[in-house]
Amino acid sequence: MSSIKHLKQYIRQLSDEADNSRLPSFWFTDWLLAVIDKPSLFLITDEEYQLTESELAQFYAGIEKLQAGIPLAYLTGQQAFWSLSFTVNEHTLIPRPDTEVLVEQVLQWIQSQPINDEHPTPKRLLDLGTGSGCIAISLAHELKHHLRYAHWHTVALDVSPEALEVAKYNALINEVGEIDFIQSSWYESLPTDMMFDVIVSNPPYIDEEDAHLAHLRAEPMSALSAPNHGLADIEHITQLAPKYLRAGGLLALEHGFDQGEAVRQILSSHGFGAIQTVQDYGGNDRVTLGHLA
Ligand code: GLN
């Protein structure tokens, strides 16, 4: 086999491999681009590019990992979410596009609130189980850089110190270094007098018996799956939310496609009103919101 190969040959080989494996075909080309550190246009403009021996070795090693079930985002260490780029590793869930619906809904609610322009009341937002920080950072980024709402402050918690390191780094590279990160199992280590206007979370919600979990084995199980048909953490977060939410405050939760009814029930039994479920881009129930009456 020739040791020097052209990009063109790779692309042909990659399409064959994509046909033969059950991996998304763009993973192969994206991995190739990550190895040679070039933007996607390079595939069109520089077809004659020759991969070096070390690029070749790195490329093949990565393909083996993808085939063994490691997601592309853990290989590249990057995942786009909202309009931002997030560093991810095996300590963090990989941000999903569906979670952007949660960010969108929270932003809409914040923008619908009246503001006293002269003296805006300081407001606080809490993200529970922040992981890579994608929700807290996207929200803080919008509030600061687009809406210029300097009166909002974001706090993000995670039980995993490793995830918090990743989230802090992501906050810095996305220019929202002022977010407060606290290591805590849900509300446990939060000062009891710290009150919030918004509590948001994408908690683990997949049923422990769900066969889908087998396909997600590279990601931290503690971020994916919960007891009680996946509802245990949603229930815990909702039950304690009234202690930390100001009157009229918003609770916004991501959940499974078949959990809308159950989550609305949980919110309603813990004092929330104006409860509403919103669907994701695939038309599945994904986010439920309620106001503390
Ligand atoms: N939505 C993710 C999935 O089904 C799970 C995220 C979560 O459990 N919070 O792959």
Side-chain angles (χ1 to χ4, degrees):
M1 194 173 85
S2 145
S3 60
I4 299 171
K5 281 198 167 189
H6 290 176
L7 217 43
K8 214 192 251 171
Q9 284 171 269
Y10 270 102
I11 297 163
R12 199 171 315 124
Q13 187 184 330
L14 291 170
S15 346
D16 295 345
E17 279 169 25
D19 285 346
N20 294 334
S21 67
R22 296 174 64 211
L23 304 174
S25 62
F26 73 89
W27 278 18
F28 295 102
T29 36
D30 280 10
W31 174 236
L32 177 63
L33 289 168
V35 168
I36 60 177
D37 193 21
K38 299 284 188 241
S40 43
L41 198 60
F42 193 79
L43 294 179
I44 300 166
T45 55
D46 288 78
E47 275 187 339
E48 299 305 315
Y49 178 82
Q50 297 186 348
L51 279 90
T52 65
E53 284 297 329
S54 86
E55 285 170 341
L56 218 86
Q58 197 192 344
F59 176 74
Y60 276 125
I63 295 289
E64 266 176 37
K65 287 185 183 163
L66 293 177
Q67 278 160 345
I70 309 284
L72 176 68
Y74 287 163
L75 251 64
T76 61
Q78 292 295 317
Q79 179 66 43
F81 179 83
W82 202 245
S83 57
L84 307 171
S85 180
F86 290 86
T87 290
V88 291
N89 65 21
E90 69 282 7
H91 299 293
T92 70
L93 196 71
I94 299 166
R96 315 282 204 262
D98 290 340
T99 304
E100 294 183 0
V101 175
L102 184 60
V103 172
E104 232 165 56
Q105 289 297 319
V106 171
L107 274 176
Q108 261 178 37
W109 183 84
I110 290 177
Q111 285 181 270
S112 73
Q113 300 301 295
I115 312 181
N116 176 342
D117 283 334
E118 304 276 292
H119 304 288
T121 322
K123 303 274 186 187
R124 248 195 235 119
L125 182 148
L126 175 65
D127 176 25
L128 294 167
T130 200
S132 66
C134 66
I135 299 170
I137 292 167
S138 301
L139 285 167
H141 191 271
E142 285 293 319
L143 292 167
K144 178 179 175 181
H145 295 286
H146 295 134
L147 297 174
R148 306 203 180 274
Y149 279 4
H151 57 295
W152 277 88
H153 181 69
T154 302
V155 178
L157 310 178
D158 206 285
V159 70
S160 155
E162 292 89 357
L164 282 176
E165 286 311 309
V166 175
K168 283 180 195 167
Y169 175 74
N170 283 327
L172 288 178
I173 59 170
N174 288 299
E175 299 173 342
V176 285
E178 63 283 0
I179 296 178
D180 274 327
F181 289 99
I182 303 176
Q183 191 199 343
S184 178
S185 169
W186 304 127
Y187 306 91
E188 216 170 86
S189 308
L190 202 59
T192 45
D193 57 350
M194 203 185 256
M195 299 297 282
F196 295 88
D197 301 276
V198 172
I199 297 179
V200 61
S201 184
N202 173 17
Y205 55 70
I206 302 178
D207 186 343
E208 289 167 321
E209 306 290 313
D210 194 326
H212 174 58
L213 277 180
H215 302 289
L216 303 174
R217 61 182 189 277
E219 292 177 275
M221 210 33 74
S222 60
L224 286 166
S225 171
N228 187 21
H229 305 292
L231 292 166
D233 290 305
I234 289 183
E235 174 119 47
H236 177 75
I237 289 169
T238 308
Q239 189 184 355
L240 291 182
K243 271 177 74 174
Y244 295 91
L245 262 185
R246 296 201 176 106
L250 176 76
L251 175 63
L253 299 172
E254 179 171 327
H255 53 71
F257 71 97
D258 54 356
Q259 293 171 333
E261 176 72 45
V263 175
R264 287 194 294 277
Q265 191 55 46
I266 293 171
L267 261 68
S268 135
S269 64
H270 289 103
F272 287 88
I275 300 165
Q276 185 201 353
T277 297
V278 180
Q279 298 184 332
D280 60 25
Y281 307 123
N284 292 311
D285 282 357
R286 187 59 64 195
V287 166
T288 292
L289 311 130
H291 300 167
L292 190 61

